[in-house]
Amino acid sequence: MNRIATLACMLPKAELHLHIEGTLEPELAFRLAERHGVAMPWPDVEALRAAYDFSDLQSFLDLYYAGANVLRTEEDFYDLTHAYLVHAHADNLRHVEIFFDPQTHTERGVAFEDVLGGIRRALLEAEREWGISFKVIMSFLRHLSEADALATLDEARPYLHRIDGVGLDSSEMGHPPSKFARVFAECRELGLPVVAHAGEEGPPEYIEEALDLLRVKRIDHGVRALESDALMDRLAAEQIPLTVCPLSNVKLKVYDDLSAHGLRKMLAHGVKVTINSDDPAYFGGYVNDNFVACVEALALTEEEVIKLARNSIEASWLEAARRDALLAEVDATVAQWRAR
Ligand code: HPA
Ligand code: ZN
C-alpha cells in the first residue's frame, strides 16, 4: 500500500452513510438462515457472492431486500450490527451514523422494538468497548407510499428518544423527494434532523428538492450535482455535506470505472465531500477499502485524504466537544505519520 493509502487507513474517521442491512455478509446470511430453518435461494456462500453482479440500483435492491429476509430476531440484528462494528473499529472509525429500514422488517412481522433494540445493543457495546460513538437514522423506503411512511412514523413514536434522525432511500427514479415533503415536515416538527438520498441515479433537480422541500442537513450520494454548475456552486457556498460512496457508485454503474469518479472534482470545487461504504457486504468493501481504492484510482493527495477525514467528522451530528476532540485526534495522527 502506498504511503497516502496508509495515512488514509490510520486516520480517525466517521462513517455517515451506511445501511445496516447492507452489511449482511453471505456467511452471516447462511448462518441466520440455518438459525431459523429458512431455505436460501442460493446453494452456498460462493453462489450468493457471485450473484452480487449488478446493472443498476434496482438490481441491487432486489437482492438486498431478499437478503434481509433472514433477519428476524433481536439477536439477528445484534449479530449483524456487531459484525459491522468489528470492521468499523479495524478501520479506525470513531463515530458512525447508520441507517436502518424499519419497513423492510415490520412488513414481514418483525417487531420494531427487536430491530432497533438489537442494533442499539451492539452500538452501545461498541461505544463502551472501543469508544465508537453513534447516531441511528430511521430511513423511509421511497418506493412505498407517503401513507406508508406516515404509518411508519406513527409506529416509531414510542422509540423516538432512541432515533437521532430520518432518511430516505430505495429506488430513486420516479420517487422524487417532493413525494415525502409532508412526512419530512412532520419529522422536522418532531425535532428530528433529516437527510435524503438524492442524485445517485436521479437528476440534479432531486438534490434541489431535497434541499428546498425536505430541508435536509446532508445529501446522501449527490454525485449527479456535477452536471449542474449552479448546484455545485450552491453546495460549496452553503457547505452542504455529501456522503459519497465510491465503490457503491462503481458497483451500481453510476460510473463505469472508479478513475472516472467525480469525487476529486467535487473536493476541488470546495464541496464538503465525505467517503462512505453504503452497503459494504454487497459493494466490495468497508470505509478503508473505499479510501484505498480512491487513493489508487484518483491519485488523492495527502491534503485531500486529511480533508476527507476531517469532513466526515465535521459533517456528523456530533456535539461540539466530541467533534473537536476527534478533529484533534486527526491532527495528532497526521503528526505521528509525518514523523515516521
Ligand atoms: N441507494 C438507495 N437505497 C439504498 C441504497 C442506495 O445506495 N442502499 C440501500 N438502500
Ligand atoms: Zn445508501
Side-chain angles (χ1 to χ4, degrees), residues 199 204 207-208 211 221-240 242 244 255 262-273:
I207 299 173
E208 288 166 343
L211 294 170
H221 292 295
V223 289
R224 286 198 60 194
L226 283 153
E227 295 165 29
S228 162
D229 293 340
L231 181 55
M232 286 290 285
D233 290 347
R234 178 182 179 186
L235 293 173
E238 297 179 21
Q239 285 294 284
I240 294 153
L242 299 193
V244 172
Y255 292 99
L263 171 88
R264 202 162 178 206
K265 206 179 284 178
M266 293 184 133
L267 274 174
H269 205 90
V271 176
K272 202 171 192 68
V273 185

PDB file of all heavy atoms in Angstrom, residues 199 204 207-208 211 221-240 242 244 255 262-273:
ATOM      1  N   GLY A 199     -29.693  12.311  -6.187  1.00  0.00           N
ATOM      2  CA  GLY A 199     -28.623  12.482  -7.168  1.00  0.00           C
ATOM      3  C   GLY A 199     -27.649  11.324  -7.206  1.00  0.00           C
ATOM      4  O   GLY A 199     -26.480  11.506  -7.524  1.00  0.00           O
ATOM      5  N   PRO A 204     -30.073  16.211 -10.982  1.00  0.00           N
ATOM      6  CA  PRO A 204     -29.721  17.277 -10.035  1.00  0.00           C
ATOM      7  C   PRO A 204     -30.947  17.928  -9.379  1.00  0.00           C
ATOM      8  O   PRO A 204     -30.878  18.379  -8.235  1.00  0.00           O
ATOM      9  CB  PRO A 204     -28.961  18.287 -10.902  1.00  0.00           C
ATOM     10  CG  PRO A 204     -28.449  17.515 -12.065  1.00  0.00           C
ATOM     11  CD  PRO A 204     -29.411  16.393 -12.292  1.00  0.00           C
ATOM     12  N   ILE A 207     -31.794  16.713  -6.037  1.00  0.00           N
ATOM     13  CA  ILE A 207     -30.947  17.257  -4.959  1.00  0.00           C
ATOM     14  C   ILE A 207     -31.519  18.595  -4.499  1.00  0.00           C
ATOM     15  O   ILE A 207     -31.622  18.871  -3.298  1.00  0.00           O
ATOM     16  CB  ILE A 207     -29.486  17.417  -5.449  1.00  0.00           C
ATOM     17  CG1 ILE A 207     -28.914  16.054  -5.866  1.00  0.00           C
ATOM     18  CG2 ILE A 207     -28.624  18.070  -4.365  1.00  0.00           C
ATOM     19  CD1 ILE A 207     -27.536  16.125  -6.527  1.00  0.00           C
ATOM     20  N   GLU A 208     -31.938  19.411  -5.475  1.00  0.00           N
ATOM     21  CA  GLU A 208     -32.525  20.717  -5.133  1.00  0.00           C
ATOM     22  C   GLU A 208     -33.820  20.544  -4.349  1.00  0.00           C
ATOM     23  O   GLU A 208     -34.064  21.265  -3.370  1.00  0.00           O
ATOM     24  CB  GLU A 208     -32.760  21.531  -6.409  1.00  0.00           C
ATOM     25  CG  GLU A 208     -31.436  22.006  -6.993  1.00  0.00           C
ATOM     26  CD  GLU A 208     -31.516  22.532  -8.412  1.00  0.00           C
ATOM     27  OE1 GLU A 208     -32.524  22.254  -9.108  1.00  0.00           O
ATOM     28  OE2 GLU A 208     -30.563  23.206  -8.835  1.00  0.00           O
ATOM     29  N   LEU A 211     -33.059  19.665  -0.787  1.00  0.00           N
ATOM     30  CA  LEU A 211     -32.614  20.842  -0.027  1.00  0.00           C
ATOM     31  C   LEU A 211     -33.776  21.787   0.272  1.00  0.00           C
ATOM     32  O   LEU A 211     -33.953  22.231   1.405  1.00  0.00           O
ATOM     33  CB  LEU A 211     -31.535  21.603  -0.810  1.00  0.00           C
ATOM     34  CG  LEU A 211     -30.202  20.867  -1.007  1.00  0.00           C
ATOM     35  CD1 LEU A 211     -29.321  21.621  -1.994  1.00  0.00           C
ATOM     36  CD2 LEU A 211     -29.483  20.701   0.339  1.00  0.00           C
ATOM     37  N   HIS A 221     -25.156  10.502  -1.302  1.00  0.00           N
ATOM     38  CA  HIS A 221     -24.651  10.391  -2.683  1.00  0.00           C
ATOM     39  C   HIS A 221     -24.471  11.803  -3.278  1.00  0.00           C
ATOM     40  O   HIS A 221     -23.464  12.428  -3.017  1.00  0.00           O
ATOM     41  CB  HIS A 221     -25.537   9.526  -3.591  1.00  0.00           C
ATOM     42  CG  HIS A 221     -25.524   8.075  -3.219  1.00  0.00           C
ATOM     43  ND1 HIS A 221     -24.392   7.298  -3.319  1.00  0.00           N
ATOM     44  CD2 HIS A 221     -26.499   7.261  -2.739  1.00  0.00           C
ATOM     45  CE1 HIS A 221     -24.677   6.054  -2.930  1.00  0.00           C
ATOM     46  NE2 HIS A 221     -25.946   6.009  -2.559  1.00  0.00           N
ATOM     47  N   GLY A 222     -25.436  12.261  -4.089  1.00  0.00           N
ATOM     48  CA  GLY A 222     -25.350  13.624  -4.632  1.00  0.00           C
ATOM     49  C   GLY A 222     -24.384  13.800  -5.785  1.00  0.00           C
ATOM     50  O   GLY A 222     -24.137  14.928  -6.224  1.00  0.00           O
ATOM     51  N   VAL A 223     -23.851  12.686  -6.314  1.00  0.00           N
ATOM     52  CA  VAL A 223     -22.801  12.833  -7.335  1.00  0.00           C
ATOM     53  C   VAL A 223     -23.300  13.470  -8.637  1.00  0.00           C
ATOM     54  O   VAL A 223     -22.518  14.086  -9.367  1.00  0.00           O
ATOM     55  CB  VAL A 223     -22.097  11.486  -7.634  1.00  0.00           C
ATOM     56  CG1 VAL A 223     -21.227  11.075  -6.465  1.00  0.00           C
ATOM     57  CG2 VAL A 223     -23.098  10.393  -7.982  1.00  0.00           C
ATOM     58  N   ARG A 224     -24.605  13.354  -8.911  1.00  0.00           N
ATOM     59  CA  ARG A 224     -25.098  13.957 -10.164  1.00  0.00           C
ATOM     60  C   ARG A 224     -25.183  15.487 -10.072  1.00  0.00           C
ATOM     61  O   ARG A 224     -25.489  16.152 -11.062  1.00  0.00           O
ATOM     62  CB  ARG A 224     -26.434  13.327 -10.587  1.00  0.00           C
ATOM     63  CG  ARG A 224     -26.224  11.915 -11.160  1.00  0.00           C
ATOM     64  CD  ARG A 224     -27.400  11.415 -11.974  1.00  0.00           C
ATOM     65  NE  ARG A 224     -27.702  12.255 -13.131  1.00  0.00           N
ATOM     66  CZ  ARG A 224     -28.825  12.174 -13.832  1.00  0.00           C
ATOM     67  NH1 ARG A 224     -29.742  11.283 -13.508  1.00  0.00           N
ATOM     68  NH2 ARG A 224     -29.036  12.976 -14.871  1.00  0.00           N
ATOM     69  N   ALA A 225     -24.843  16.048  -8.909  1.00  0.00           N
ATOM     70  CA  ALA A 225     -24.699  17.509  -8.815  1.00  0.00           C
ATOM     71  C   ALA A 225     -23.645  18.010  -9.793  1.00  0.00           C
ATOM     72  O   ALA A 225     -23.698  19.167 -10.235  1.00  0.00           O
ATOM     73  CB  ALA A 225     -24.318  17.907  -7.392  1.00  0.00           C
ATOM     74  N   LEU A 226     -22.700  17.128 -10.132  1.00  0.00           N
ATOM     75  CA  LEU A 226     -21.620  17.517 -11.055  1.00  0.00           C
ATOM     76  C   LEU A 226     -22.155  17.967 -12.411  1.00  0.00           C
ATOM     77  O   LEU A 226     -21.443  18.621 -13.170  1.00  0.00           O
ATOM     78  CB  LEU A 226     -20.650  16.337 -11.238  1.00  0.00           C
ATOM     79  CG  LEU A 226     -19.674  16.125 -10.066  1.00  0.00           C
ATOM     80  CD1 LEU A 226     -19.236  14.678  -9.982  1.00  0.00           C
ATOM     81  CD2 LEU A 226     -18.473  17.059 -10.191  1.00  0.00           C
ATOM     82  N   GLU A 227     -23.411  17.625 -12.722  1.00  0.00           N
ATOM     83  CA  GLU A 227     -23.992  18.018 -14.011  1.00  0.00           C
ATOM     84  C   GLU A 227     -24.515  19.455 -14.005  1.00  0.00           C
ATOM     85  O   GLU A 227     -24.929  19.963 -15.043  1.00  0.00           O
ATOM     86  CB  GLU A 227     -25.145  17.065 -14.373  1.00  0.00           C
ATOM     87  CG  GLU A 227     -24.664  15.644 -14.612  1.00  0.00           C
ATOM     88  CD  GLU A 227     -25.805  14.635 -14.617  1.00  0.00           C
ATOM     89  OE1 GLU A 227     -26.946  14.994 -14.984  1.00  0.00           O
ATOM     90  OE2 GLU A 227     -25.548  13.469 -14.244  1.00  0.00           O
ATOM     91  N   SER A 228     -24.545  20.084 -12.841  1.00  0.00           N
ATOM     92  CA  SER A 228     -25.088  21.448 -12.755  1.00  0.00           C
ATOM     93  C   SER A 228     -24.085  22.374 -12.064  1.00  0.00           C
ATOM     94  O   SER A 228     -23.848  22.255 -10.860  1.00  0.00           O
ATOM     95  CB  SER A 228     -26.410  21.433 -11.969  1.00  0.00           C
ATOM     96  OG  SER A 228     -26.736  22.734 -11.524  1.00  0.00           O
ATOM     97  N   ASP A 229     -23.529  23.307 -12.825  1.00  0.00           N
ATOM     98  CA  ASP A 229     -22.563  24.252 -12.244  1.00  0.00           C
ATOM     99  C   ASP A 229     -23.201  25.064 -11.123  1.00  0.00           C
ATOM    100  O   ASP A 229     -22.573  25.315 -10.089  1.00  0.00           O
ATOM    101  CB  ASP A 229     -22.031  25.206 -13.323  1.00  0.00           C
ATOM    102  CG  ASP A 229     -21.178  24.474 -14.346  1.00  0.00           C
ATOM    103  OD1 ASP A 229     -20.694  23.362 -14.028  1.00  0.00           O
ATOM    104  OD2 ASP A 229     -21.008  25.009 -15.458  1.00  0.00           O
ATOM    105  N   ALA A 230     -24.462  25.472 -11.337  1.00  0.00           N
ATOM    106  CA  ALA A 230     -25.133  26.307 -10.327  1.00  0.00           C
ATOM    107  C   ALA A 230     -25.300  25.536  -9.017  1.00  0.00           C
ATOM    108  O   ALA A 230     -25.090  26.080  -7.926  1.00  0.00           O
ATOM    109  CB  ALA A 230     -26.492  26.760 -10.855  1.00  0.00           C
ATOM    110  N   LEU A 231     -25.659  24.262  -9.128  1.00  0.00           N
ATOM    111  CA  LEU A 231     -25.843  23.442  -7.924  1.00  0.00           C
ATOM    112  C   LEU A 231     -24.504  23.194  -7.226  1.00  0.00           C
ATOM    113  O   LEU A 231     -24.416  23.248  -5.991  1.00  0.00           O
ATOM    114  CB  LEU A 231     -26.534  22.126  -8.292  1.00  0.00           C
ATOM    115  CG  LEU A 231     -26.820  21.155  -7.146  1.00  0.00           C
ATOM    116  CD1 LEU A 231     -27.628  21.817  -6.021  1.00  0.00           C
ATOM    117  CD2 LEU A 231     -27.569  19.917  -7.666  1.00  0.00           C
ATOM    118  N   MET A 232     -23.463  22.933  -8.000  1.00  0.00           N
ATOM    119  CA  MET A 232     -22.131  22.745  -7.408  1.00  0.00           C
ATOM    120  C   MET A 232     -21.723  24.002  -6.635  1.00  0.00           C
ATOM    121  O   MET A 232     -21.199  23.911  -5.519  1.00  0.00           O
ATOM    122  CB  MET A 232     -21.101  22.433  -8.501  1.00  0.00           C
ATOM    123  CG  MET A 232     -21.221  21.032  -9.063  1.00  0.00           C
ATOM    124  SD  MET A 232     -20.721  19.757  -7.878  1.00  0.00           S
ATOM    125  CE  MET A 232     -18.940  19.979  -7.944  1.00  0.00           C
ATOM    126  N   ASP A 233     -21.977  25.165  -7.234  1.00  0.00           N
ATOM    127  CA  ASP A 233     -21.645  26.426  -6.552  1.00  0.00           C
ATOM    128  C   ASP A 233     -22.438  26.557  -5.248  1.00  0.00           C
ATOM    129  O   ASP A 233     -21.904  26.974  -4.223  1.00  0.00           O
ATOM    130  CB  ASP A 233     -21.963  27.626  -7.459  1.00  0.00           C
ATOM    131  CG  ASP A 233     -21.002  27.725  -8.644  1.00  0.00           C
ATOM    132  OD1 ASP A 233     -19.958  27.035  -8.627  1.00  0.00           O
ATOM    133  OD2 ASP A 233     -21.306  28.486  -9.585  1.00  0.00           O
ATOM    134  N   ARG A 234     -23.711  26.179  -5.305  1.00  0.00           N
ATOM    135  CA  ARG A 234     -24.551  26.286  -4.112  1.00  0.00           C
ATOM    136  C   ARG A 234     -24.078  25.336  -3.007  1.00  0.00           C
ATOM    137  O   ARG A 234     -24.006  25.720  -1.832  1.00  0.00           O
ATOM    138  CB  ARG A 234     -26.007  25.962  -4.483  1.00  0.00           C
ATOM    139  CG  ARG A 234     -26.926  25.997  -3.279  1.00  0.00           C
ATOM    140  CD  ARG A 234     -28.358  25.633  -3.629  1.00  0.00           C
ATOM    141  NE  ARG A 234     -29.166  25.656  -2.413  1.00  0.00           N
ATOM    142  CZ  ARG A 234     -30.434  25.274  -2.357  1.00  0.00           C
ATOM    143  NH1 ARG A 234     -31.041  24.856  -3.451  1.00  0.00           N
ATOM    144  NH2 ARG A 234     -31.090  25.307  -1.210  1.00  0.00           N
ATOM    145  N   LEU A 235     -23.785  24.085  -3.385  1.00  0.00           N
ATOM    146  CA  LEU A 235     -23.337  23.102  -2.382  1.00  0.00           C
ATOM    147  C   LEU A 235     -22.066  23.586  -1.691  1.00  0.00           C
ATOM    148  O   LEU A 235     -21.901  23.439  -0.471  1.00  0.00           O
ATOM    149  CB  LEU A 235     -23.094  21.734  -3.038  1.00  0.00           C
ATOM    150  CG  LEU A 235     -24.319  21.015  -3.588  1.00  0.00           C
ATOM    151  CD1 LEU A 235     -23.900  19.753  -4.356  1.00  0.00           C
ATOM    152  CD2 LEU A 235     -25.316  20.656  -2.477  1.00  0.00           C
ATOM    153  N   ALA A 236     -21.176  24.199  -2.488  1.00  0.00           N
ATOM    154  CA  ALA A 236     -19.920  24.707  -1.913  1.00  0.00           C
ATOM    155  C   ALA A 236     -20.196  25.922  -1.024  1.00  0.00           C
ATOM    156  O   ALA A 236     -19.683  26.006   0.094  1.00  0.00           O
ATOM    157  CB  ALA A 236     -18.945  25.057  -3.029  1.00  0.00           C
ATOM    158  N   ALA A 237     -21.020  26.840  -1.520  1.00  0.00           N
ATOM    159  CA  ALA A 237     -21.279  28.077  -0.768  1.00  0.00           C
ATOM    160  C   ALA A 237     -21.953  27.778   0.570  1.00  0.00           C
ATOM    161  O   ALA A 237     -21.609  28.368   1.594  1.00  0.00           O
ATOM    162  CB  ALA A 237     -22.151  29.019  -1.605  1.00  0.00           C
ATOM    163  N   GLU A 238     -22.921  26.845   0.533  1.00  0.00           N
ATOM    164  CA  GLU A 238     -23.667  26.537   1.767  1.00  0.00           C
ATOM    165  C   GLU A 238     -23.011  25.430   2.575  1.00  0.00           C
ATOM    166  O   GLU A 238     -23.505  25.053   3.635  1.00  0.00           O
ATOM    167  CB  GLU A 238     -25.120  26.169   1.403  1.00  0.00           C
ATOM    168  CG  GLU A 238     -25.864  27.332   0.749  1.00  0.00           C
ATOM    169  CD  GLU A 238     -27.304  26.994   0.352  1.00  0.00           C
ATOM    170  OE1 GLU A 238     -27.883  26.037   0.913  1.00  0.00           O
ATOM    171  OE2 GLU A 238     -27.829  27.693  -0.531  1.00  0.00           O
ATOM    172  N   GLN A 239     -21.894  24.878   2.056  1.00  0.00           N
ATOM    173  CA  GLN A 239     -21.156  23.808   2.745  1.00  0.00           C
ATOM    174  C   GLN A 239     -22.095  22.667   3.164  1.00  0.00           C
ATOM    175  O   GLN A 239     -22.090  22.213   4.323  1.00  0.00           O
ATOM    176  CB  GLN A 239     -20.385  24.368   3.950  1.00  0.00           C
ATOM    177  CG  GLN A 239     -19.130  25.138   3.524  1.00  0.00           C
ATOM    178  CD  GLN A 239     -18.083  24.211   2.880  1.00  0.00           C
ATOM    179  OE1 GLN A 239     -17.395  23.475   3.578  1.00  0.00           O
ATOM    180  NE2 GLN A 239     -17.982  24.239   1.555  1.00  0.00           N
ATOM    181  N   ILE A 240     -22.891  22.228   2.197  1.00  0.00           N
ATOM    182  CA  ILE A 240     -23.804  21.100   2.433  1.00  0.00           C
ATOM    183  C   ILE A 240     -23.022  19.807   2.239  1.00  0.00           C
ATOM    184  O   ILE A 240     -22.491  19.557   1.159  1.00  0.00           O
ATOM    185  CB  ILE A 240     -24.999  21.164   1.465  1.00  0.00           C
ATOM    186  CG1 ILE A 240     -25.838  22.402   1.783  1.00  0.00           C
ATOM    187  CG2 ILE A 240     -25.846  19.891   1.550  1.00  0.00           C
ATOM    188  CD1 ILE A 240     -26.597  22.944   0.624  1.00  0.00           C
ATOM    189  N   LEU A 242     -21.940  16.091   1.379  1.00  0.00           N
ATOM    190  CA  LEU A 242     -22.370  14.979   0.532  1.00  0.00           C
ATOM    191  C   LEU A 242     -21.724  13.711   1.089  1.00  0.00           C
ATOM    192  O   LEU A 242     -20.512  13.670   1.287  1.00  0.00           O
ATOM    193  CB  LEU A 242     -21.914  15.146  -0.911  1.00  0.00           C
ATOM    194  CG  LEU A 242     -22.372  16.349  -1.726  1.00  0.00           C
ATOM    195  CD1 LEU A 242     -22.038  16.112  -3.203  1.00  0.00           C
ATOM    196  CD2 LEU A 242     -23.852  16.614  -1.578  1.00  0.00           C
ATOM    197  N   VAL A 244     -20.630  10.613  -0.055  1.00  0.00           N
ATOM    198  CA  VAL A 244     -20.330   9.912  -1.304  1.00  0.00           C
ATOM    199  C   VAL A 244     -19.849   8.488  -0.998  1.00  0.00           C
ATOM    200  O   VAL A 244     -19.189   8.248   0.021  1.00  0.00           O
ATOM    201  CB  VAL A 244     -19.260  10.711  -2.097  1.00  0.00           C
ATOM    202  CG1 VAL A 244     -18.767   9.935  -3.303  1.00  0.00           C
ATOM    203  CG2 VAL A 244     -19.838  12.061  -2.523  1.00  0.00           C
ATOM    204  N   TYR A 255     -20.810   5.073 -12.296  1.00  0.00           N
ATOM    205  CA  TYR A 255     -19.581   5.315 -13.066  1.00  0.00           C
ATOM    206  C   TYR A 255     -19.086   3.971 -13.599  1.00  0.00           C
ATOM    207  O   TYR A 255     -19.167   2.972 -12.884  1.00  0.00           O
ATOM    208  CB  TYR A 255     -18.484   5.931 -12.192  1.00  0.00           C
ATOM    209  CG  TYR A 255     -18.792   7.338 -11.731  1.00  0.00           C
ATOM    210  CD1 TYR A 255     -19.307   7.569 -10.463  1.00  0.00           C
ATOM    211  CD2 TYR A 255     -18.566   8.424 -12.573  1.00  0.00           C
ATOM    212  CE1 TYR A 255     -19.601   8.860 -10.030  1.00  0.00           C
ATOM    213  CE2 TYR A 255     -18.852   9.722 -12.153  1.00  0.00           C
ATOM    214  CZ  TYR A 255     -19.369   9.936 -10.889  1.00  0.00           C
ATOM    215  OH  TYR A 255     -19.651  11.203 -10.473  1.00  0.00           O
ATOM    216  N   GLY A 262     -16.290  11.473  -9.844  1.00  0.00           N
ATOM    217  CA  GLY A 262     -16.185  12.925  -9.702  1.00  0.00           C
ATOM    218  C   GLY A 262     -15.761  13.426  -8.329  1.00  0.00           C
ATOM    219  O   GLY A 262     -15.720  14.639  -8.090  1.00  0.00           O
ATOM    220  N   LEU A 263     -15.423  12.514  -7.427  1.00  0.00           N
ATOM    221  CA  LEU A 263     -15.080  12.887  -6.046  1.00  0.00           C
ATOM    222  C   LEU A 263     -14.014  13.989  -5.973  1.00  0.00           C
ATOM    223  O   LEU A 263     -14.158  14.978  -5.244  1.00  0.00           O
ATOM    224  CB  LEU A 263     -14.577  11.633  -5.313  1.00  0.00           C
ATOM    225  CG  LEU A 263     -13.976  11.831  -3.934  1.00  0.00           C
ATOM    226  CD1 LEU A 263     -15.063  11.785  -2.878  1.00  0.00           C
ATOM    227  CD2 LEU A 263     -12.949  10.747  -3.623  1.00  0.00           C
ATOM    228  N   ARG A 264     -12.961  13.815  -6.744  1.00  0.00           N
ATOM    229  CA  ARG A 264     -11.849  14.754  -6.657  1.00  0.00           C
ATOM    230  C   ARG A 264     -12.238  16.137  -7.203  1.00  0.00           C
ATOM    231  O   ARG A 264     -11.830  17.171  -6.668  1.00  0.00           O
ATOM    232  CB  ARG A 264     -10.667  14.186  -7.448  1.00  0.00           C
ATOM    233  CG  ARG A 264      -9.393  14.778  -6.977  1.00  0.00           C
ATOM    234  CD  ARG A 264      -8.181  14.014  -7.373  1.00  0.00           C
ATOM    235  NE  ARG A 264      -7.028  14.747  -6.885  1.00  0.00           N
ATOM    236  CZ  ARG A 264      -5.838  14.682  -7.421  1.00  0.00           C
ATOM    237  NH1 ARG A 264      -5.613  13.892  -8.453  1.00  0.00           N
ATOM    238  NH2 ARG A 264      -4.856  15.396  -6.921  1.00  0.00           N
ATOM    239  N   LYS A 265     -13.062  16.111  -8.254  1.00  0.00           N
ATOM    240  CA  LYS A 265     -13.550  17.363  -8.824  1.00  0.00           C
ATOM    241  C   LYS A 265     -14.407  18.116  -7.800  1.00  0.00           C
ATOM    242  O   LYS A 265     -14.351  19.339  -7.683  1.00  0.00           O
ATOM    243  CB  LYS A 265     -14.378  17.035 -10.080  1.00  0.00           C
ATOM    244  CG  LYS A 265     -14.421  18.138 -11.099  1.00  0.00           C
ATOM    245  CD  LYS A 265     -15.241  17.751 -12.320  1.00  0.00           C
ATOM    246  CE  LYS A 265     -14.522  16.791 -13.254  1.00  0.00           C
ATOM    247  NZ  LYS A 265     -15.377  16.397 -14.398  1.00  0.00           N
ATOM    248  N   MET A 266     -15.201  17.357  -7.044  1.00  0.00           N
ATOM    249  CA  MET A 266     -16.054  17.987  -6.028  1.00  0.00           C
ATOM    250  C   MET A 266     -15.210  18.618  -4.926  1.00  0.00           C
ATOM    251  O   MET A 266     -15.499  19.723  -4.465  1.00  0.00           O
ATOM    252  CB  MET A 266     -16.993  16.941  -5.424  1.00  0.00           C
ATOM    253  CG  MET A 266     -18.003  16.431  -6.435  1.00  0.00           C
ATOM    254  SD  MET A 266     -19.167  15.297  -5.672  1.00  0.00           S
ATOM    255  CE  MET A 266     -20.681  15.952  -6.332  1.00  0.00           C
ATOM    256  N   LEU A 267     -14.180  17.902  -4.514  1.00  0.00           N
ATOM    257  CA  LEU A 267     -13.275  18.446  -3.492  1.00  0.00           C
ATOM    258  C   LEU A 267     -12.649  19.743  -3.987  1.00  0.00           C
ATOM    259  O   LEU A 267     -12.604  20.743  -3.262  1.00  0.00           O
ATOM    260  CB  LEU A 267     -12.156  17.439  -3.197  1.00  0.00           C
ATOM    261  CG  LEU A 267     -12.399  16.348  -2.157  1.00  0.00           C
ATOM    262  CD1 LEU A 267     -11.207  15.392  -2.134  1.00  0.00           C
ATOM    263  CD2 LEU A 267     -12.661  16.927  -0.766  1.00  0.00           C
ATOM    264  N   ALA A 268     -12.194  19.717  -5.235  1.00  0.00           N
ATOM    265  CA  ALA A 268     -11.530  20.894  -5.807  1.00  0.00           C
ATOM    266  C   ALA A 268     -12.493  22.078  -5.895  1.00  0.00           C
ATOM    267  O   ALA A 268     -12.087  23.234  -5.804  1.00  0.00           O
ATOM    268  CB  ALA A 268     -10.980  20.552  -7.188  1.00  0.00           C
ATOM    269  N   HIS A 269     -13.787  21.775  -6.034  1.00  0.00           N
ATOM    270  CA  HIS A 269     -14.810  22.822  -6.138  1.00  0.00           C
ATOM    271  C   HIS A 269     -15.175  23.390  -4.759  1.00  0.00           C
ATOM    272  O   HIS A 269     -15.952  24.327  -4.642  1.00  0.00           O
ATOM    273  CB  HIS A 269     -16.057  22.250  -6.818  1.00  0.00           C
ATOM    274  CG  HIS A 269     -16.902  23.271  -7.504  1.00  0.00           C
ATOM    275  ND1 HIS A 269     -16.713  23.630  -8.820  1.00  0.00           N
ATOM    276  CD2 HIS A 269     -17.933  24.033  -7.054  1.00  0.00           C
ATOM    277  CE1 HIS A 269     -17.604  24.567  -9.147  1.00  0.00           C
ATOM    278  NE2 HIS A 269     -18.350  24.837  -8.088  1.00  0.00           N
ATOM    279  N   GLY A 270     -14.648  22.765  -3.711  1.00  0.00           N
ATOM    280  CA  GLY A 270     -14.933  23.247  -2.360  1.00  0.00           C
ATOM    281  C   GLY A 270     -16.182  22.637  -1.738  1.00  0.00           C
ATOM    282  O   GLY A 270     -16.687  23.130  -0.729  1.00  0.00           O
ATOM    283  N   VAL A 271     -16.687  21.547  -2.347  1.00  0.00           N
ATOM    284  CA  VAL A 271     -17.861  20.866  -1.786  1.00  0.00           C
ATOM    285  C   VAL A 271     -17.411  19.980  -0.619  1.00  0.00           C
ATOM    286  O   VAL A 271     -16.336  19.373  -0.668  1.00  0.00           O
ATOM    287  CB  VAL A 271     -18.572  20.018  -2.868  1.00  0.00           C
ATOM    288  CG1 VAL A 271     -19.740  19.233  -2.275  1.00  0.00           C
ATOM    289  CG2 VAL A 271     -19.047  20.910  -4.012  1.00  0.00           C
ATOM    290  N   LYS A 272     -18.234  19.932   0.429  1.00  0.00           N
ATOM    291  CA  LYS A 272     -17.889  19.176   1.629  1.00  0.00           C
ATOM    292  C   LYS A 272     -18.202  17.686   1.425  1.00  0.00           C
ATOM    293  O   LYS A 272     -19.257  17.196   1.794  1.00  0.00           O
ATOM    294  CB  LYS A 272     -18.660  19.716   2.827  1.00  0.00           C
ATOM    295  CG  LYS A 272     -18.005  19.393   4.146  1.00  0.00           C
ATOM    296  CD  LYS A 272     -18.691  20.151   5.271  1.00  0.00           C
ATOM    297  CE  LYS A 272     -17.901  20.100   6.541  1.00  0.00           C
ATOM    298  NZ  LYS A 272     -16.643  20.841   6.479  1.00  0.00           N
ATOM    299  N   VAL A 273     -17.266  16.982   0.817  1.00  0.00           N
ATOM    300  CA  VAL A 273     -17.447  15.580   0.442  1.00  0.00           C
ATOM    301  C   VAL A 273     -16.922  14.668   1.549  1.00  0.00           C
ATOM    302  O   VAL A 273     -15.917  14.978   2.187  1.00  0.00           O
ATOM    303  CB  VAL A 273     -16.645  15.275  -0.846  1.00  0.00           C
ATOM    304  CG1 VAL A 273     -16.914  13.866  -1.322  1.00  0.00           C
ATOM    305  CG2 VAL A 273     -16.988  16.259  -1.932  1.00  0.00           C
TER     306      VAL A 273
END
